[in-house]
Amino acid sequence: MVLRNVVKIDEEKCDGCGQCVDACVEGAIEIIDGKAKLVSEVYCDGLGACIGHCPQDAITVERREADEFDEDATKTYLAAKSNCAQDGLLQDAGTHEHEGFKCPGSMTKVFDQKSQSSTAVSDEIPSQLGHWPVQLKLVSPQAPYFKNADLLLAADCVPFAMGDFHNRLLSGRSVAVGCPKLDDAQLYIEKLAEIIKVGLPNSLTVSHMEVPCCSGLANIAKEAITRSGVSLSFEDITIDLQGNIIKTETIKNNTCKEGLSHESDCPTKECSDSRID
């Protein structure tokens, strides 16, 4: 880390026009979820060539501690973007000419469940996954599969532990997956809050492992609901290390009534414990 100039983007002012994307020859800026974002400090040289191209005055240059500008890494990154563009992958991803580079692996796709079931080999169990991507980092809050959906927020270890995860929890639900211990909880809260606010899901189910660090996924859901401003209860399901459901808990909308300053003052839970073998 060094003290140097780095581009700063005010997302409140940004209208997502994408002119800064075209102006940044290093490719350091992309349009993500309708807003310009600095994808990596190492791609930003700090010269601010993009500033004059922003009609909303949303871009400034700030001097702060940051990773050094890496010219070699930038060249590699730009080459990858160029290769994808030549192969037509950017166009296939539905990328607008001003929307910057998007990984082809994060393209939004909705699957036909009936078609999947009919083409599955007789001795195979068909997948119940109805869309792509599934990682909470990659999904878009505007994705059509989140609109009025039954939403499942799953810790990424749950499908590995639970043998009947697809039929028991995933079937009929849209899903977002993440790890509350290793990933950025604040990013998850903001993304999930936007999904709830925009998609207005019919229901929310949270599934996580019994280990203490994994229970943080329920806390992420609570905070996201509060930030979204949407009244939404959710079912919290705890899975043991052998893949059994050992606890289910209905968490009511955790926005406390006016005058109550602490969660313990606001009764929001109805619990029912059950082990299902």
Side-chain angles (χ1 to χ4, degrees):
M1 301 284 282
V2 296
L3 184 65
R4 70 180 186 90
N5 291 339
V6 180
V7 162
K8 180 180 179 180
I9 302 171
D10 186 340
E11 292 190 16
E12 293 296 322
K13 293 182 178 180
C14 176
D15 63 0
C17 71
Q19 293 187 44
C20 56
V21 176
D22 294 336
C24 181
V25 296
E26 289 81 17
I29 301 177
E30 295 178 10
I31 301 299
I32 301 174
D33 295 336
K35 298 289 185 179
K37 297 182 186 293
L38 185 66
V39 295
S40 176
E41 295 173 349
V42 299
Y43 303 148
C44 178
D45 59 14
L47 297 180
C50 52
I51 292 177
H53 295 266
C54 178
Q56 302 299 326
D57 294 325
I59 304 176
T60 56
V61 171
E62 63 175 351
R63 189 166 181 81
R64 61 176 175 83
E65 290 286 337
D67 292 328
E68 292 189 74
F69 171 63
D70 190 328
E71 186 174 358
D72 291 335
T74 301
K75 289 179 179 179
T76 301
Y77 171 67
L78 291 173
K81 289 176 64 175
S82 177
N83 289 337
C84 284
Q86 290 175 7
D87 292 340
L89 293 176
L90 296 187
Q91 183 176 358
D92 291 343
T95 304
H96 186 273
E97 62 178 343
H98 287 306
E99 286 189 353
F101 173 67
K102 291 184 179 179
C103 171
S106 65
M107 293 189 301
T108 297
K109 296 181 180 180
V110 178
F111 304 137
D112 184 345
Q113 289 294 312
K114 292 182 180 179
S115 174
Q116 284 186 313
S117 298
S118 63
T119 58
V121 180
S122 59
D123 61 348
E124 291 183 353
I125 300 174
S127 170
Q128 297 300 318
L129 182 63
H131 63 84
W132 185 266
V134 298
Q135 285 288 342
L136 188 52
K137 287 182 179 178
L138 299 178
V139 298
S140 169
Q142 288 79 28
Y145 48 78
F146 286 139
K147 186 68 174 177
N148 302 130
D150 292 312
L151 176 61
L152 172 65
L153 176 64
D156 52 13
C157 291
V158 169
F160 291 96
M162 194 174 186
D164 56 352
F165 170 79
H166 276 245
N167 289 331
R168 194 87 177 267
L169 293 184
L170 183 58
S171 181
R173 293 186 171 106
S174 296
V175 63
V177 180
C179 176
K181 178 177 176 63
L182 301 180
D183 296 336
D184 187 341
Q186 193 60 41
L187 174 64
Y188 278 180
I189 290 169
E190 293 173 0
K191 177 65 75 72
L192 184 59
E194 190 67 14
I195 290 172
I196 294 171
K197 183 178 179 180
V198 174
L200 296 175
N202 291 324
S203 68
L204 172 62
T205 302
V206 178
S207 63
H208 55 82
M209 301 301 295
E210 64 179 332
V211 292
C213 58
C214 204
S215 64
L217 200 63
N219 294 327
I220 288 172
K222 291 178 187 178
E223 181 63 26
I225 291 171
T226 299
R227 293 197 184 191
S228 73
V230 175
S231 180
L232 179 67
S233 300
F234 68 92
E235 185 179 27
D236 183 36
I237 300 176
T238 303
I239 312 296
D240 70 13
L241 301 186
Q242 286 72 49
N244 303 303
I245 296 178
I246 58 173
K247 183 178 181 182
T248 62
E249 183 179 9
T250 300
I251 310 295
K252 294 184 179 180
N253 180 34
N254 66 333
T255 303
C256 288
K257 297 179 181 179
E258 186 176 357
L260 299 181
S261 59
H262 192 274
E263 185 175 315
S264 62
D265 298 324
C266 184
T268 60
K269 298 182 180 180
E270 292 179 351
C271 302
S272 61
D273 295 350
S274 60
R275 176 176 289 275
I276 303 177
D277 297 324

